[in-house]
Amino acid sequence: MAGRPLPTSPARATARDRTPVRDGAPAPAGASGPATKKSLDRGPASPAGPSTRGGAATGRFRRRVRENLVAYLFLAAGVICFALFSWYPIVRGILLGFQQVTFAQPAEWVGLDNFRRLFDDPLFLTAWKNTGWFTLLALVFGFAAPFATAVVLNELRRGKAYLRMTVYLPVMLPSVVTMLLWRWFYDPGPGLFNNVLDVFHLPPQQWLESENLAMVSLVLVSTWANMGTTTLIYLAALGGIPGELYEAAELDGASIRRRLWHVTIPQMRFILMITLLLQVIGTMQVFVEPFVLTGGGPDDATVTVLLLLYRYAFVYNDFGLASAMSTLLFVVLGAFAGVYLRLTRSKG
Amino acid sequence: MDGMAGVSRRQLLGSATALALGLALTGCGGSSGSSSGVDEHGVVTISVNGMPAKTQPEDRKDFEDLVKQFEAAHPKIKIDAREGQMDPKTFAAKLAGGQLEDVYYVYFTDPAGLIQRRQGADITKYLKGVPYLDQIRPALQDVFKGPDGKIYGVPTGNYSLGLVYNRALFKKAGLDPDKPPTTWEEVRTAAQKISALGDGTVGYADYSKNNQGGWHLTSWIYSMGGDVATQQNGTWKAAFDSDAGRKALQALHDMRWTDKSMGTRQLLEIADVQKMMGSGKLGMYMAGPDNIPTIVKQFESKYDDYGLAALPGTATLGGGDGFMFNPKASPEKIKAGLQWIQWKYLNPDREEENVKKFSGLDVPIGLPQPNLFDGAAQAKNDAIHAKYANVPQANYQPFVDRSDDVAVKVEPPNAQQLYTVLDGVMQSVLTKEDADLDKLLADAAKRADSILATVK
């Protein structure tokens, strides 16, 4: 599984938990505010209250600010950091897409020129097609494999901890090591895979050198390297399924397959949906695998959106073009992220 | 010299690139010091890069000593030395953030683009009177000349591609290591004999990834008497859909598929091939002289094991490196920077002292390289190098002997973009037995034309 799907769901959960507190705040401000909360703030000497002066709304607003000043200050640090290191760069990046930038002269506004040039590049479509193909393949391998592994691991009676660790091991390898390892696996001469094929008297394959196989080979690397994380998520979700459901199913004489179909999958529907989306978002940003293993070849068969973007920016030094490309990617991924948000919200 | 190492460095992997991508794309529009850089005592401070990393303590110490010597001899100049050379991943971010050095290192592939984007300062009027600069070969000076005829930098090193070969394997295969191939037919025969040794031995290997395939294919085409791009009536056009282009592809195709003397693993880049050579599994590959010390050092082999021949055919690709100036650098800084570059890198007066010191250390002296200067300055340098040579110069005689017959041609404009296109051609030939060579060339030429249309 090529995604990096872990961090989002917990973060989302806390955000959801926080919302009612914030929404609830105005209500107690007037009458029944908890005493402890007030005393925590700047002391009891704030009798501004809902008096007649200046209208009730502003009064209440001021009072709310004063009461929560410390909280706002703490919040401000986070907001400023986000604005500076996350939002500003995003906005700036989008603006760059409409400019010709050399960084030596003031940037020149060029309207949609960069986008037009993008569409003129014959590799542009290839890159999107390849990325789509990679994402699709990653779903076929990367979505099913961790789920199957998790279900099997969950059913095991012995050696569970050991196997769980084994499955997670590749995630801990630095990606450079992973790539070097797989280069040897794929080596058409003395490589591992061709040696294995040879044992079964099968012809050797050009794993990375054949246009048809190259992308599949990259997906395999990425699946192997990343499935540990997803497997752990599934294992956790499996652990959360109430045992009674299985007991009831077993009492009704349901086979393993039927239990999987009627209990496990429906119970995990939500988490499956989420990892699916996160995986799409993650795999569409594939870069390291093609960059290191194939450099986009053979014959552009593994040029991905991010690889092309990298070339625009750091080989051709054309940051306007690269930014236009990243804006497009941002829009596409944003759409997926929107669906993701909708889903997580409706679940709550 | 460093050109090839640079290309590989440039292709360095790492997930860090993704991070760098994000950071650089967000480059804040900081301002750079637009001051003259001169303090109240009239001392000008210039930042320069090219200082060796801490991982090379000896080279670094040497660099620092030279800075001290230079400052002692030029009391009005202070050098603020920084690590690193040209790194396209950080260049734009440094420029945007006002962190770009006043004097910065570049490879020959970069000046044209930098000049076009006005990311280098015009130094034409400061060149006069700086010793030896006027003796640099005109072809090399042209690399830093803009379409407006102005000069934007100074070359400090150059190389040309030849054929690095394994003398031991040559002997083993019954070939004379002192008479390496001089034609592509001879390369083909030699490669066949070497790969016939078996045990995973590869006769000839070439790159086909991360723009390095395109870089070498360009040299192949030059050697067949062709061109990659030509200028007609002021506009550039692709020129490789030609007899020379077809001959180059045919030769590669035949060695790869008919003779099977290029091994099975493709999509190689420089580090892969150097490893093959260093581990004694490769007969020949296209490379500049600077590859030999790299292989010897990295794989703990001996200089005696490797020979260098000129590239077969009539021409080869040459590249090199030099320095350019921050577009925001003040005239005082440019003047001081030129003095530093001349004193440190283009100085026949200091050459003997340098070479004497290096020959005692582990630095190879006496590798052949194309001349940097014309006339007296070059004669002086040559004599010094011959005197202190510490590598087997006889092994490189085949390269030197034919150097007059092999013209050195510089890289085409928009080189990196063209190399991306030619990478694809190289990949197809080396990975598809039934590749349609004519169609490959025609398709690539179409794409190259649209890239060249943007050259001004």
Side-chain angles (χ1 to χ4, degrees):
Chain A
M1 150 124 187
R4 299 118 183 122
L6 237 187
T8 332
S9 8
R12 200 40 233 171
T14 51
R16 228 190 306 131
D17 296 344
R18 221 172 30 223
T19 332
V21 178
R22 188 157 45 91
D23 290 344
S32 57
T36 45
K37 194 164 186 285
K38 264 185 190 166
S39 60
L40 268 179
D41 286 330
R42 306 193 81 202
S46 54
S51 71
T52 47
R53 208 153 40 94
T58 42
R60 213 181 300 147
F61 175 73
R62 268 201 219 140
R63 181 166 147 182
R64 210 191 306 157
V65 169
R66 206 173 310 149
E67 280 179 349
N68 296 308
L69 197 61
V70 180
Y72 281 124
L73 280 177
F74 272 109
L75 205 62
V79 169
I80 289 171
C81 275
F82 261 111
L84 212 60
F85 296 110
S86 191
W87 302 330
Y88 169 71
I90 291 173
V91 172
R92 176 81 202 236
I94 293 172
L95 291 182
L96 282 182
F98 298 93
Q99 294 176 329
Q100 193 184 5
V101 263
T102 65
F103 296 117
Q105 259 75 36
E108 213 179 288
W109 290 95
V110 292
L112 291 173
D113 242 27
N114 288 328
F115 291 90
R116 237 170 266 140
R117 281 169 57 215
L118 271 186
F119 295 130
D120 282 347
D121 187 341
L123 272 188
F124 177 78
L125 261 188
T126 314
W128 280 99
K129 263 192 248 161
N130 288 344
T131 306
W133 180 223
F134 182 92
T135 308
L136 200 75
L137 282 172
L139 287 187
V140 174
F141 294 117
F143 194 58
F147 183 65
T149 315
V151 169
V152 171
L153 277 180
N154 200 41
E155 291 297 319
L156 285 179
R157 295 274 174 266
R158 282 154 179 237
K160 213 167 170 177
Y162 169 74
L163 282 171
R164 208 181 301 170
M165 197 190 73
T166 318
V167 170
Y168 195 69
L169 217 52
V171 180
M172 293 194 272
L173 284 182
S175 55
V176 175
V177 177
T178 307
M179 296 304 143
L180 290 177
L181 191 68
W182 279 78
R183 266 185 90 153
W184 170 67
F185 287 174
Y186 283 146
D187 195 308
L192 176 76
F193 288 168
N194 278 351
N195 273 328
V196 172
L197 289 181
D198 194 48
V199 171
F200 297 103
H201 302 288
L202 291 167
Q205 295 299 319
Q206 301 278 320
W207 297 98
L208 293 170
E209 286 92 346
S210 132
E211 257 175 75
N212 304 324
L213 263 183
M215 196 58 106
V216 180
S217 304
L218 294 188
V219 173
L220 281 180
V221 181
S222 158
T223 305
W224 181 85
N226 296 304
M227 74 177 259
T229 313
T230 328
T231 307
L232 283 193
I233 295 178
Y234 288 154
L235 270 175
L238 282 171
I241 299 175
E244 306 89 77
L245 292 177
Y246 287 109
E247 279 166 29
E250 265 173 68
L251 283 179
D252 288 343
S255 63
I256 291 185
R257 212 177 45 151
R258 299 200 67 151
R259 265 180 279 158
L260 187 70
W261 190 250
H262 292 289
V263 180
T264 312
I265 291 182
Q267 284 292 316
M268 292 194 42
R269 209 182 51 218
F270 177 68
I271 200 90
L272 284 172
M273 201 64 207
I274 296 300
T275 49
L276 179 84
L277 273 166
L278 287 175
Q279 184 171 358
V280 170
I281 293 172
T283 48
M284 285 198 79
Q285 299 181 60
V286 55
F287 174 73
V288 179
E289 290 85 359
F291 183 70
V292 177
L293 291 173
T294 61
D299 204 13
D300 300 329
T302 54
V303 171
T304 61
V305 170
L306 226 59
L307 189 71
L308 192 60
L309 200 156
Y310 171 86
R311 279 187 197 164
Y312 287 150
F314 298 117
V315 183
Y316 311 155
N317 240 309
D318 196 331
F319 286 85
L321 207 55
S323 301
M325 186 77 157
S326 65
T327 303
L328 288 181
L329 185 63
F330 181 74
V331 170
V332 173
L333 294 183
F336 282 108
V339 176
Y340 168 79
L341 281 179
R342 265 227 110 92
L343 273 177
T344 44
R345 203 168 291 162
S346 63
K347 167 78 178 179
Chain B
M1 278 280 284
D2 286 316
M4 278 158 288
V7 174
S8 73
R9 204 172 302 127
R10 197 172 287 204
Q11 314 295 357
L12 277 182
L13 55 107
S15 41
T17 43
L19 181 68
L21 195 81
L23 288 178
L25 285 179
T26 61
C28 323
S31 64
S32 96
S34 54
S35 68
S36 63
V38 186
D39 70 5
E40 65 269 27
H41 307 294
V43 176
V44 59
T45 304
I46 49 168
S47 54
V48 302
N49 63 11
M51 177 160 68
K54 279 189 182 141
T55 46
Q56 304 159 263
E58 276 179 21
D59 296 343
R60 188 174 174 108
K61 190 176 172 309
D62 179 61
F63 190 95
E64 285 167 346
D65 288 346
L66 286 178
V67 168
K68 275 186 208 136
Q69 269 184 49
F70 175 80
E71 285 178 341
H74 302 79
K76 292 284 181 203
I77 302 175
K78 244 186 102 46
I79 302 283
D80 167 14
R82 313 240 176 107
E83 247 178 50
Q85 299 177 326
M86 176 68 177
D87 182 356
K89 286 199 280 296
T90 54
F91 179 82
K94 276 164 93 175
L95 183 59
Q99 300 293 312
L100 184 68
E101 291 82 4
D102 297 317
V103 180
Y104 63 88
Y105 180 98
V106 286
Y107 300 105
F108 277 12
T109 39
D110 300 320
L114 292 168
I115 294 166
Q116 196 185 325
R117 292 189 296 273
R118 298 201 249 152
Q119 291 169 330
D122 169 13
I123 59 166
T124 321
K125 62 179 171 203
Y126 307 106
L127 289 167
K128 232 181 278 164
V130 185
Y132 297 112
L133 290 194
D134 56 339
Q135 288 193 46
I136 295 174
R137 278 172 48 214
L140 304 179
Q141 294 191 42
D142 284 350
V143 174
F144 293 92
K145 203 180 257 177
D148 51 6
K150 298 196 170 124
I151 307 289
Y152 291 85
V154 181
T156 52
N158 68 335
Y159 71 87
S160 68
L161 290 175
L163 213 53
V164 171
Y165 62 97
N166 186 319
R167 292 175 60 90
L169 281 184
F170 260 59
K171 257 181 244 163
K172 223 168 144 190
L175 296 157
D176 182 354
D178 294 326
K179 288 205 180 69
T182 55
T183 64
W184 284 113
E185 287 75 39
E186 285 172 20
V187 169
R188 191 176 163 181
T189 329
Q192 262 175 306
K193 284 189 182 156
I194 291 165
S195 58
L197 293 171
D199 195 24
T201 310
V202 173
Y204 176 88
D206 220 325
Y207 318 149
S208 46
K209 198 169 88 176
N210 291 338
N211 287 11
Q212 297 177 17
W215 169 45
H216 269 197
L217 185 55
T218 299
S219 191
W220 269 93
I221 295 168
Y222 287 172
S223 86
M224 298 290 182
D227 248 318
V228 164
T230 50
Q231 202 172 15
Q232 294 156 357
N233 307 325
T235 52
W236 286 88
K237 283 249 171 238
F240 53 78
D241 185 6
S242 62
D243 274 354
R246 209 154 291 116
K247 263 196 238 162
L249 295 193
Q250 194 66 52
L252 280 162
H253 182 272
D254 291 347
M255 283 203 283
R256 167 73 175 95
W257 299 105
T258 313
D259 308 345
K260 299 191 170 32
S261 61
M262 287 186 73
T264 44
R265 199 175 135 212
Q266 301 303 327
L267 302 183
L268 302 168
E269 56 188 326
I270 187 165
D272 306 316
V273 175
Q274 284 176 338
K275 198 159 93 191
M276 290 162 74
M277 185 53 98
S279 58
K281 292 285 181 201
L282 176 62
M284 297 169 277
Y285 77 106
M286 191 190 280
D290 67 321
N291 272 232
I292 294 175
T294 308
I295 298 168
V296 170
K297 271 187 207 162
Q298 270 180 19
F299 303 98
E300 292 174 10
S301 42
K302 296 190 300 275
Y303 278 100
D304 290 331
D305 291 344
Y306 306 106
L308 180 72
L311 202 68
T314 53
T316 183
L317 184 147
D321 47 34
F323 285 89
M324 287 177 68
F325 296 76
N326 193 318
K328 290 165 186 160
S330 65
E332 291 82 4
K333 285 187 170 189
I334 293 178
K335 279 184 221 158
L338 277 171
Q339 285 193 57
W340 160 250
I341 293 167
Q342 190 275 319
W343 185 89
K344 164 86 172 71
Y345 299 96
L346 300 164
N347 200 345
D349 300 333
R350 267 189 50 246
E351 195 70 10
E352 176 140 22
E353 185 194 327
N354 265 343
V355 165
K356 205 164 154 185
K357 182 170 65 188
F358 287 140
S359 66
L361 302 168
D362 205 13
V363 181
I365 311 285
L367 283 166
Q369 34 180 302
N371 301 345
L372 194 55
F373 294 110
D374 269 337
Q378 188 61 41
K380 196 168 171 182
N381 272 354
D382 286 346
I384 295 165
H385 290 158
K387 188 170 156 195
Y388 291 97
N390 59 3
V391 290
Q393 285 190 294
N395 289 6
Y396 318 130
Q397 205 53 41
F399 181 85
V400 179
D401 286 346
R402 278 197 65 238
S403 62
D404 287 339
D405 307 331
V406 186
V408 179
K409 290 165 86 164
V410 292
E411 287 160 297
N414 278 5
Q416 295 293 0
Q417 279 106 313
L418 288 186
Y419 292 167
T420 309
V421 174
L422 292 175
D423 246 11
V425 177
M426 199 76 164
Q427 286 165 6
S428 293
V429 173
L430 296 180
T431 62
K432 262 193 286 188
E433 189 168 2
D434 58 351
D436 180 345
L437 306 187
D438 288 322
K439 188 172 177 311
L440 277 177
L441 286 170
D443 288 350
K446 220 185 289 165
R447 282 174 61 189
D449 275 340
S450 68
I451 288 167
L452 288 164
T454 64
V455 179
K456 283 172 198 134

